[in-house]
Amino acid sequence: MKLKYYFLLSCSILFFLTSCSDDEDAVLPVLNSSGLEKNELELKLGESLSISPKINTDDLDYQWLVNDKAVSNEATYTFNPDAVGTYTIKFNASNSSGSVDCQYQIVVIKVRTKTDESSAYLTSLFEYKPAPGQFVNEGYGLMKDAEAILGKPKYGLVSLGGFGGYISLGFDHTLIDEEGDDFIVYGNAFKGSSEAGIVMVSFDYNGNGKADDAWFELAGSEYNKDEVIHNYEITYTNPKTYADVPWTDNQGNTGFVKINDWHEHNYYPEFIDEQDEITFTGTLLPNNKGTNDMGWIVYNEFEKGYVDNYSEEYAELKGNKFDISWAVNNKGEKVKLPGVDFIKVYTAVNIDGGILGEASTEIMGAADISLLEE
Ligand SMILES: [Ca+2]
Ligand SMILES: [Ca+2]
Ligand SMILES: [Ca+2]
């Protein structure tokens, strides 16, 4: 998590050693307390915050500044912001003997509290950018398919193509990290067909309603395993025809998303801006391809924490459960978010399934567990 999300506090005392004081009796001000107990702070829009620094004397001139603009000359300041953002509040108190000052940094956030009208299901599509795949540019791999997964899941289904292909989506309220699992993402997995996708989550820190804030991965069961490659990067080149799609990765490997006879068209997404090549980055899960007793290719399930993955809960839910508290930053450190406004899902395996085509995560929708009927 970036430092700017933390409340920063620094205080100091300045002695007027060189000044010629008229008032020999003024008590040198000493700051006993900054006025706030916690050393980190996020304030929700609509809430106010009173700051009362504790100083050893009352004989002082006070000055408060918010983002360098003078706002008060009282001993106590009540901060009552009317917009989200990061605010620097400065406090200074002085007399003829010296001065004390403090600086506070406060991040004001807007949480869209759920109401009786809130939908349990996805309401916004922000971006759909699949990696090359057999369903891309046809049924299940067009923008209209991405739109079809909004609302209550019915038959809508969208494919994300090979590794890295993603979709970003939103709810009409902020999902709060409650006890246990918080939301479900629906897929089309079945026993032997786990085409795992990773979920990333984001809070609308800048309050603009757009998914343009920092993303955090929800660490699933494989996250800390040796076979997992973090910061994996793959670049696909557009063949601009019905032909194998070449790729290179940052591990020194090359390969192809191979065409098959059932999908006779270009597999590279023709509706995205990047029409020569595209690079995706993310966490690469271990290759889960195997064969069953009949000799057929299967994709074995991972334990927990992935989309389109036949984990324990899948048979009953037709989806996978996620807990916001699994969020980690890009160093793998736990992150505490005020909530989740946006989710992003990407295909997290890079597997050529032979006759099955490339492994690609599919999604049918998502739901806030707290709003589902028991
Ligand atoms: Ca939770
Ligand atoms: Ca935003
Ligand atoms: Ca699937």
Side-chain angles (χ1 to χ4, degrees):
M1 182 169 247
K2 286 180 188 162
L3 195 61
K4 71 171 185 175
Y5 295 141
Y6 282 81
F7 160 77
L8 303 173
L9 169 64
S10 62
C11 301
S12 62
I13 301 172
L14 183 67
F15 298 83
F16 290 164
L17 293 176
T18 56
S19 70
C20 180
S21 172
D22 312 333
D23 180 2
E24 300 280 327
D25 296 332
V27 176
L28 179 71
V30 174
L31 191 71
N32 295 323
S33 153
S34 70
L36 288 176
E37 295 297 316
K38 296 194 319 189
N39 66 348
E40 61 178 71
L41 189 70
E42 276 171 354
L43 187 67
K44 288 177 185 155
L45 198 62
E47 293 177 347
S48 62
L49 177 74
S50 277
I51 312 175
S52 298
K54 300 284 181 293
I55 305 171
N56 62 328
T57 174
D58 294 332
D59 171 30
L60 295 160
D61 292 324
Y62 299 93
Q63 188 179 39
W64 291 89
L65 300 161
V66 174
N67 292 346
D68 293 326
K69 186 175 162 219
V71 290
S72 172
N73 297 107
E74 304 295 323
T76 293
Y77 176 59
T78 300
F79 179 52
N80 196 0
D82 59 8
V84 301
T86 301
Y87 293 82
T88 301
I89 300 180
K90 290 178 186 164
F91 161 74
N92 178 281
S94 62
N95 61 22
S96 56
S97 295
S99 70
V100 289
D101 60 68
C102 256
Q103 183 166 313
Y104 315 80
Q105 194 161 317
I106 294 165
V107 177
V108 176
I109 58 170
K110 182 172 158 188
V111 174
R112 297 175 304 147
T113 309
K114 71 184 172 196
T115 67
D116 292 345
E117 315 310 60
S118 297
S119 170
Y121 303 103
L122 296 165
T123 53
S124 305
L125 167 67
F126 293 99
E127 197 177 12
Y128 171 51
K129 193 166 277 191
Q134 58 195 326
F135 295 107
V136 172
N137 302 323
E138 63 160 68
Y140 308 127
L142 291 167
M143 202 55 84
K144 69 176 174 60
D145 302 300
E147 287 160 3
I149 69 165
L150 301 182
K152 190 169 183 174
K154 293 191 189 81
Y155 307 108
L157 176 70
V158 68
S159 174
L160 303 181
F163 178 87
Y166 66 87
I167 189 167
S168 53
L169 302 147
F171 294 90
D172 67 3
H173 60 284
T174 305
L175 275 62
I176 301 301
D177 181 15
E178 293 178 5
E179 188 65 32
D181 296 316
D182 303 298
F183 63 93
I184 298 171
V185 181
Y186 302 98
N188 71 346
F190 52 89
K191 183 68 182 170
S193 181
S194 290
E195 302 177 289
I198 283 176
V199 176
M200 300 190 82
V201 295
S202 179
F203 177 72
D204 190 10
Y205 270 103
N206 63 11
N208 67 355
K210 295 178 185 166
D212 58 357
D213 312 87
W215 290 100
F216 301 95
E217 180 170 340
L218 295 187
S221 56
E222 311 307 296
Y223 188 84
N224 288 312
K225 295 194 176 162
D226 291 343
E227 305 82 36
V228 168
I229 301 173
H230 298 281
N231 304 309
Y232 181 71
E233 198 172 279
I234 190 166
T235 300
Y236 301 95
T237 305
N238 188 356
K240 300 186 180 176
T241 184
Y242 171 50
D244 294 346
V245 181
W247 58 260
T248 59
D249 70 13
N250 63 350
Q251 310 293 307
N253 305 309
T254 61
F256 295 92
V257 175
K258 292 183 185 149
I259 53 170
N260 57 49
D261 293 342
W262 298 280
H263 305 277
E264 293 188 14
H265 54 77
N266 188 359
Y267 287 16
Y268 188 101
E270 291 174 330
F271 51 88
I272 63 172
D273 292 341
E274 302 86 343
Q275 280 304 304
D276 291 327
E277 61 173 39
I278 186 164
T279 299
F280 293 101
T281 307
T283 297
L284 178 68
L285 296 177
N287 189 323
N288 60 332
K289 185 170 82 170
T291 48
N292 67 9
D293 297 344
M294 319 270 282
W296 297 350
I297 293 164
V298 292
Y299 300 129
N300 295 308
E301 64 271 19
F302 295 105
E303 187 189 334
K304 192 172 174 58
Y306 303 100
V307 173
D308 204 11
N309 178 46
Y310 201 75
S311 55
E312 202 178 3
E313 76 269 34
Y314 200 93
E316 185 196 337
L317 294 175
K318 306 281 185 244
N320 301 93
K321 288 180 171 178
F322 295 87
D323 187 336
I324 295 168
S325 72
W326 299 341
V328 293
N329 63 17
N330 56 15
K331 291 182 192 149
E333 299 158 341
K334 284 258 184 199
V335 168
K336 176 102 184 88
L337 291 169
V340 165
D341 293 301
F342 315 118
I343 64 170
K344 178 189 275 189
V345 181
Y346 65 89
T347 299
V349 290
N350 181 17
I351 301 172
D352 171 15
I355 193 170
L356 300 177
E358 85 293 333
S360 57
T361 304
E362 278 90 24
I363 312 176
M364 297 188 77
D368 176 349
I369 289 174
S370 76
L371 286 172
L372 292 178
E373 306 269 322
E374 287 298 311

